[in-house]
Amino acid sequence: MNNLSCPKAKVECIVDCCSTLTSLLQKAVLLPENKGRNHSGGGTDNLLPSLVYTIVLADPDKLYSNIEFISAYARPEELLSEAGFYFTMFLSAVSYIQRVPTCDTTHM
């Protein structure tokens, strides 16, 4: 995300990540070994914990700077519908990570 210079491109990066995670979660529910298990719908229901896990593992550099940049310079219409939903989920995941004392957030 650091290589992208405009807020719209940064938001698109977040949307791509979140939509890929959502798709993978939906496919995981359909696996034969998961039949008969109680699932909460796959997809977006499990997106937040999966996003938290992904962000912690990725440990992206300058995460907070990128969030501040998007928040300050993205046009409001760029944060509507799907992009707005995923950006909000992303912010929620980062906020959760900040509050968990065992996460190392030195690079964020």
Side-chain angles (χ1 to χ4, degrees):
M1 189 174 350
N2 292 331
N3 298 334
L4 304 171
S5 59
C6 68
K8 184 176 182 178
K10 290 177 185 284
V11 170
E12 288 172 358
C13 181
I14 292 170
V15 169
D16 289 346
C17 173
C18 291
S19 60
T20 299
L21 275 175
T22 300
S23 177
L24 289 171
L25 290 167
Q26 289 169 342
K27 289 177 183 178
V29 169
L30 300 175
L31 291 173
E33 59 266 22
N34 290 328
K35 284 191 178 185
R37 292 186 180 177
N38 185 14
H39 295 286
S40 58
T44 56
D45 291 340
N46 295 316
L47 178 59
L48 185 60
S50 300
L51 195 53
V52 167
Y53 183 73
T54 301
I55 293 169
V56 168
L57 285 181
D59 191 21
D61 289 333
K62 301 178 184 174
L63 180 61
Y64 299 119
S65 298
N66 282 301
I67 289 171
E68 289 298 317
F69 180 79
I70 293 168
S71 298
Y73 297 109
R75 295 183 311 180
E77 60 269 15
E78 292 173 353
L79 298 177
L80 295 176
S81 65
E82 182 184 42
F85 173 74
Y86 285 141
F87 185 61
T88 301
M89 291 295 281
F90 190 79
L91 292 176
S92 298
V94 171
S95 177
Y96 177 80
I97 293 166
Q98 285 178 308
R99 287 166 178 70
V100 176
T102 57
C103 288
D104 179 14
T105 57
T106 55
H107 296 295
M108 296 183 180

